[in-house]
Amino acid sequence: MTRGAVDQSSTAASPAPQPPGIGIGRPPWWALVLAALVTVAVTVDLLSRGWLERMDLRVSEVVSDWDLRNSDAYWPVWVFTQAGGRGFILIVLAGLVGWLAIRRRTLVPLVRVAMALVLLTTVVYSFKWGTGRTAPAYPGSFFHRDGASYPSGHVANAVLMWGVARWQVVQFSLPAPVQRAVWLLSIVGPLVTGVAMVALDFHWVTDAVVGLAVGLLLLGVVHALDAVTVSRWVRARAGRTQP
């Protein structure tokens, strides 16, 4: 084989270049430590009826005066909450998982998504039922056995599931526009979800903040579990181009 043929073969076998600045999005250790500290500090303050609860009440009073729920702005704002809606995200992930299963012959993304869903459901609902915090519109006490507002499942869902989606599209080298789109969703999705949920008075500010922190922690856990289980099991046939 000639030198030119060898060079051409090597070029054809090499993966497409990644868009600059876009990685798989594994949270660094310091971000996970900060997220854990925020979760603990906010939870302790709320359960002790501290200043964060008073801040939540003041914000909710302002939002209630806007009355977006009963205005023409309701549906346009509600659409942004779906950036963290489980149904919408799962539709996107189902398409992604199915495409990779067919084209790359790997079930790795499916296993990762399933692992993330189990962790999300278990941890978030344990928090909700454990604290029993009621939503802003609930009349009476703010910690009640029927409460399930804290933390925001929509925000946690947006952080974790868009983070998992970003991981897959980068690691399996999907086209650059797809990588950029999912990267943007992984950054902006949780933020617009949290703002929209608070603006509609569906959640307190601290619900959204801790939802973001819990989602980040769970994303770190999924990455760690994958490193010691899934990745080792399928390393030779995962069809990916990133470590």
Side-chain angles (χ1 to χ4, degrees):
M1 181 180 291
T2 66
R3 179 183 180 85
V6 172
D7 291 342
Q8 184 176 7
S9 175
S10 299
T11 301
S14 61
Q18 300 297 321
I22 298 181
I24 63 173
R26 181 170 185 169
W29 68 267
W30 59 265
L32 297 177
V33 170
L34 179 61
L37 291 175
V38 167
T39 300
V40 172
V42 174
T43 302
V44 169
D45 183 89
L46 291 175
L47 292 176
S48 62
R49 315 306 290 267
W51 72 272
L52 288 176
E53 184 184 42
R54 295 191 292 275
M55 180 270 294
D56 277 341
L57 289 168
R58 286 196 292 270
V59 172
S60 182
E61 288 175 0
V62 173
V63 170
S64 296
D65 290 339
W66 296 348
D67 197 22
L68 295 183
R69 290 196 195 188
N70 298 308
S71 72
D72 293 336
Y74 174 80
W75 288 110
V77 176
W78 177 88
V79 167
F80 287 102
T81 70
Q82 297 312 293
R86 181 171 295 194
F88 172 65
I89 295 177
L90 286 181
I91 290 172
V92 175
L93 286 173
L96 174 62
V97 166
W99 191 90
L100 290 172
I102 295 170
R103 296 297 298 270
R104 301 298 179 87
R105 299 184 182 279
T106 177
L107 294 179
V108 174
L110 176 61
V111 174
R112 289 169 174 168
V113 168
M115 188 161 51
L117 281 174
V118 170
L119 281 171
L120 178 73
T121 303
T122 302
V123 173
V124 169
Y125 279 95
S126 294
F127 259 100
K128 287 179 177 291
W129 294 332
T131 57
R133 193 180 199 194
T134 52
Y138 187 89
S141 68
F142 297 98
F143 291 91
H144 187 275
R145 62 185 178 86
D146 294 327
S149 182
Y150 179 83
S152 168
H154 275 65
V155 176
N157 189 50
V159 175
L160 177 58
M161 304 312 291
W162 287 128
V164 171
R166 169 184 171 177
W167 178 10
Q168 309 319 300
V169 300
V170 172
Q171 193 171 67
F172 289 92
S173 292
L174 268 64
V178 176
Q179 293 190 36
R180 292 191 185 98
V182 178
W183 170 80
L184 184 63
L185 281 169
S186 72
I187 302 299
V188 177
L191 298 179
V192 300
T193 299
V195 171
M197 296 296 281
V198 172
L200 291 176
D201 219 19
F202 288 163
H203 273 294
W204 309 98
V205 172
T206 50
D207 292 348
V209 169
V210 175
L212 191 152
V214 169
L216 190 65
L217 286 169
L218 292 178
L219 182 59
V221 171
V222 173
H223 273 278
L225 289 175
D226 175 84
V228 299
T229 56
V230 180
S231 287
R232 292 186 178 183
W233 169 50
V234 293
R235 185 172 296 279
R237 52 190 172 84
R240 54 197 170 181
T241 58
Q242 295 292 321

